[in-house]
């Protein structure tokens, strides 16, 4: 299937999910993440903020876990059609952008290039780590400017089933995919 077809299919699949189902599956994904990826003081972690109206995986529990373990947390913000990474703590002032998404009021890019983890949103990921996002290319451009040692970890409600037929050279593969049932690793593909 093409990215466009997969995007449509998995947006529809997520739309069918109940609030309770999203919460339960998000907790299972968090438990799997926690079991495989240690979080320690001083780590730098970029994590997406949940867009509830799109039935995304709930990341609040991830963020709280990162803070409780002394990690520095960074979240995305779109400025001039580019994704920047803004430091985020319990005191960060937040605002709602024109898309209805909560993001930091600050426009200051952290400049961090050596994150330990980038927790990445997606609609679908195939069995080789290629992801389908919302189609704007923000994360692919963001990935191109970070250290190769950074682990790119996708979170998904769904197991890989279809092959993405139109992967391009500028698409960046994930290193790992965390789902409710399991974790897949794509390092070495």
């Amino acid at each position: 299937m093409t990215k466009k077809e997969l995007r449509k299919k998995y947006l529809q699949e997520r739309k069918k999910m109940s609030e309770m189902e999203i919460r339960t599956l998000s907790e299972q994904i968090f438990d799997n993440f926690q079991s495989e990826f240690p979080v320690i003081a001083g780590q730098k972690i970029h994590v997406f903020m949940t867009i509830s109206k799109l039935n995304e995986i709930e990341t609040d529990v991830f963020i709280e876990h990162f803070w409780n373990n002394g990690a520095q947390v960074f979240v995305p913000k779109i400025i001039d059609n580019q994704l920047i990474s803004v430091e985020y703590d319990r005191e960060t002032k937040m605002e709602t952008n024109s898309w209805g998404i909560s993001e930091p009021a600050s426009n200051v890019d952290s400049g961090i290039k050596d994150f330990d983890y980038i927790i990445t949103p997606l609609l679908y990921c195939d069995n080789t780590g290629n992801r389908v996002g919302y189609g704007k290319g923000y994360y692919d451009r963001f990935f191109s400017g970070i250290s190769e040692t950074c682990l790119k970890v996708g979170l998904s409600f769904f197991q890989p089933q279809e092959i993405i037929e139109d992967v391009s050279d500028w698409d960046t593969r994930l290193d790992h995919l965390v789902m409710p049932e399991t974790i897949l690793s794509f390092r070495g593909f």
Side-chain angles (χ1 to χ4, degrees), residues 3 166-172:
K3 290 179 199 173
D166 54 345
V167 174
S168 70
D169 290 340
W170 59 271
D171 289 333
T172 302

Side-chain angles (χ1 to χ4, degrees), residues 47-64:
V47 58
F48 68 94
M49 302 288 288
T50 301
I51 304 172
S52 298
K53 69 181 181 183
L54 295 178
N55 285 359
E56 286 188 334
I57 292 159
E58 296 174 353
T59 57
D60 291 351
V61 66
F62 285 80
I63 292 168
E64 194 66 33

Side-chain angles (χ1 to χ4, degrees), residues 47-189:
V47 58
F48 68 94
M49 302 288 288
T50 301
I51 304 172
S52 298
K53 69 181 181 183
L54 295 178
N55 285 359
E56 286 188 334
I57 292 159
E58 296 174 353
T59 57
D60 291 351
V61 66
F62 285 80
I63 292 168
E64 194 66 33
H65 174 69
F66 301 155
W67 284 337
N68 290 341
N69 285 281
Q72 287 181 274
V73 176
F74 302 85
V75 295
K77 184 167 184 174
I78 306 302
I79 302 289
D80 297 328
N81 214 29
Q82 292 293 317
L83 187 153
I84 66 169
S85 186
V86 178
E87 189 159 8
Y88 179 59
D89 61 30
R90 289 180 174 93
E91 308 304 315
T92 300
K93 290 186 193 306
M94 301 296 283
E95 61 187 17
T96 302
N97 69 19
S98 60
W99 298 309
I101 301 168
S102 181
E103 62 184 10
S106 171
N107 290 341
V108 177
D109 188 348
S110 68
I112 302 293
K113 303 292 183 207
D114 62 341
F115 295 99
D116 294 280
Y117 305 119
I118 296 180
I119 311 303
T120 308
L122 54 89
L123 289 164
Y124 178 75
C125 181
D126 69 15
N127 61 5
T128 61
N130 293 304
R131 62 181 281 281
V132 175
Y134 294 106
K136 302 290 186 188
Y138 293 128
Y139 272 89
D140 287 309
R141 288 190 301 274
F142 182 64
F143 290 152
S144 71
I146 61 164
S147 169
E148 291 181 15
T149 62
C150 172
L151 291 181
K152 298 172 293 300
V153 181
L155 307 180
S156 180
F157 292 124
F158 309 108
Q159 292 274 345
Q161 295 176 6
E162 289 89 11
I163 294 169
I164 302 171
E165 296 170 356
D166 54 345
V167 174
S168 70
D169 290 340
W170 59 271
D171 289 333
T172 302
R173 283 188 178 149
L174 296 173
D175 297 305
H176 303 280
L177 179 65
V178 182
M179 297 164 288
E181 309 84 10
T182 191
I183 299 172
L184 298 179
S185 178
F186 311 113
R187 303 278 286 182
F189 270 90

